[in-house]
Amino acid sequence: MISQGPDKNIYVANSRGLLEFTGSEWHLFPVPNQSIVRSVHAAEGKIFTGAYMEFGYWEEDETGYLKYTSLVDSFPGALRDGEQFWHISHINNFVITQSFEGVYLYNLRSAEIARITTPPGVIRNLFEVDNKVYFQIDGRGLFSIIDNTAEVVIPAEFLGGDEIMHVDRSGNSLRVIT
């Protein structure tokens, strides 16, 4: 994943950590557990990253160097062994992240993390369309978040077992690419 911060710097999820491009220089910031960074998203002065068994954010210190804050201890319940955070989005006061195990909301104001109630199954991809979040659960369909709960938008029988690769809006309808 790639994201751009308000400072116009480019941030890239990388197999060695978080890469920052300032326009003239590249900087590498490894995550504390030295794992592959799977997702990155700049939101409200923070650079959020997701990795193997790790999710948190980076902020500049007084010298301009990025310092990492892990949010793993703030998650409701323990992370399942092997959990990786694949997508990050930002809507209003929330940063939303997705692993194969769950969808989580980080409240930027209270710094609390809530897990969205979802049916059982592997969660694939996270899409933000018109300030709504959509995600697929294998064998269950396409879902949206309504009142911190997953609500089905397209039932599995209409998807024919296909993985959704992209969601956007066309007029009043959702357009889904499988």
Side-chain angles (χ1 to χ4, degrees), residues 81-99:
D81 188 37
E83 197 156 6
Q84 298 185 55
F85 296 91
W86 290 94
H87 295 94
I88 304 171
S89 190
H90 171 229
I91 296 176
N92 301 322
N93 295 326
F94 295 95
V95 170
I96 303 104
T97 187
Q98 168 261 326
S99 72

Side-chain angles (χ1 to χ4, degrees), residues 125-135 142-143 153-154 164-178:
N125 298 326
L126 183 77
F127 309 99
E128 189 250 315
V129 180
D130 295 336
N131 284 326
K132 286 185 100 173
V133 170
Y134 298 91
F135 56 92
L142 180 68
F143 290 79
V153 175
I154 302 174
I164 297 172
M165 303 308 293
H166 183 74
V167 176
D168 67 10
R169 185 161 298 285
S170 177
N172 290 329
S173 300
L174 283 180
R175 186 172 20 198
V176 176
I177 298 173
T178 60

Side-chain angles (χ1 to χ4, degrees), residues 53-102:
M53 299 296 291
E54 187 59 61
F55 181 80
Y57 61 85
W58 304 80
E59 285 183 299
E60 285 188 0
D61 65 12
E62 59 279 351
T63 67
Y65 187 80
L66 290 178
K67 295 285 185 175
Y68 185 73
T69 300
S70 176
L71 295 173
V72 169
D73 291 339
S74 301
F75 275 75
L79 296 179
R80 292 189 186 178
D81 188 37
E83 197 156 6
Q84 298 185 55
F85 296 91
W86 290 94
H87 295 94
I88 304 171
S89 190
H90 171 229
I91 296 176
N92 301 322
N93 295 326
F94 295 95
V95 170
I96 303 104
T97 187
Q98 168 261 326
S99 72
F100 290 147
E101 305 293 331

Side-chain angles (χ1 to χ4, degrees), residues 2 8-9 12 23 25 27 43 47 50 60-61 82 93 95 113 125 137 141 143 147 151-152 158 165 168 178:
I2 297 174
K8 303 299 181 203
N9 288 355
V12 181
E25 297 179 308
H27 301 136
I47 311 304
E60 285 188 0
D61 65 12
N93 295 326
V95 170
I113 297 177
N125 298 326
I137 300 177
F143 290 79
D147 296 327
E151 297 288 334
V152 69
F158 291 105
M165 303 308 293
D168 67 10
T178 60

